[in-house]
Amino acid sequence: IVEWGIREKCDAIVLAPNHIRLTAPVLEKARNHGIQIVLIDSKMDAGHHACIVESDNTKAGLQAADYLAGLIQNTGRVILARHMKKHASTSERAMGFSQRVSNAYPGIKIVADPYLGDSKGFAYRSVIELLAQFPQTDAIFCVGEEASMGILKALGETDRNRKIRFVGFDLNPEIRAALIGGQMDATIVQDPYQIGYTGVWAA
């Protein structure tokens, strides 16, 4: 897509990267052709962009840790469900969460921190296996939307005899229904529409 933008002599490209460096060479090529790059939602290591529009993802992780700690009275076993390796915004959420737990809640132990990707089905299967491996899990925090929905499905099938607290990320009709119905305790919400809108405005 970026190569297409170069060929078409675009003036600017707004990009939501899924990796901190994989597209760096082609972005450098675009900048060398005079194209302005605006990143939205997630950072990159390379400095080829003119600006970035994003949420404070580390703070989001801190807020999730504080809220989840309150749900389990500052003690218990937690699964931290990550997104993908080298994905900046979700990595920052996970880092903020784990650092807050480590620094402020010594009674909480993160028993697993798997990468669940952006597939609802993979997240569902992974969490089913994790809950079998760690049956005394008290809570889960997930850093992304698709995996959150997979976890919801898994908890619906396994969370029978006791309540596993669950804090997710982002909002859609399925997550909203789960919040109202009590299958999910909370979700951390950013404003993706405004991020995209502001990115185009900046470009």
Side-chain angles (χ1 to χ4, degrees):
I1 292 171
V2 176
E3 290 278 10
W4 180 89
I6 295 170
R7 290 195 302 271
E8 292 295 311
K9 297 181 171 57
C10 290
D11 296 301
I13 295 173
V14 181
L15 178 72
N18 272 334
H19 194 279
I20 58 174
R21 65 178 65 95
L22 283 182
T23 53
V26 72
L27 292 182
E28 182 179 19
K29 181 179 176 182
R31 285 299 297 269
N32 290 339
H33 280 76
I35 299 173
Q36 296 296 319
I37 307 297
V38 176
L39 300 183
I40 57 172
D41 185 58
S42 199
K43 291 184 177 72
M44 289 187 66
D45 282 349
H48 305 310
H49 54 280
C51 66
I52 180 169
V53 182
E54 64 172 347
S55 301
D56 186 338
N57 289 290
T58 301
K59 183 177 180 181
L62 297 176
Q63 290 177 326
D66 288 339
Y67 191 81
L68 187 143
L71 292 173
I72 59 175
Q73 287 78 52
N74 300 341
T75 184
R77 302 166 215 47
V78 173
I79 292 172
L80 168 56
R82 298 176 181 268
H83 181 55
M84 295 186 294
K85 293 181 180 179
K86 306 299 182 181
H87 184 263
S89 60
T90 53
S91 295
E92 289 171 356
R93 296 168 197 168
M95 180 183 68
F97 180 87
S98 60
Q99 286 183 351
R100 185 67 141 203
V101 167
S102 176
N103 294 335
Y105 304 106
I108 295 177
K109 181 181 180 182
I110 297 175
V111 295
D113 58 348
Y115 287 94
L116 300 185
D118 59 359
S119 163
K120 179 178 176 179
F122 182 76
Y124 161 76
R125 292 188 296 274
S126 298
V127 170
I128 289 288
E129 293 174 4
L130 282 168
L131 292 178
Q133 185 178 355
F134 301 102
Q136 300 306 311
T137 296
D138 297 294
I140 299 173
F141 170 55
C142 179
V143 300
E145 179 180 347
E146 288 297 321
S148 289
M149 292 191 292
I151 292 168
L152 271 175
K153 186 173 187 295
L155 290 178
E157 295 183 7
T158 60
D159 191 8
R160 303 296 187 190
N161 299 319
R162 64 189 191 89
K163 177 70 173 175
I164 297 176
R165 312 316 292 257
F166 178 34
V167 176
F169 210 96
D170 288 325
L171 187 66
N172 62 30
E174 188 173 339
I175 290 175
R176 183 177 184 274
L179 291 166
I180 293 171
Q183 293 84 34
M184 192 172 186
D185 292 287
T187 188
I188 308 297
V189 180
Q190 55 184 351
D191 191 342
Y193 182 95
Q194 191 63 31
I195 290 172
Y197 189 101
T198 306
V200 174
W201 178 87

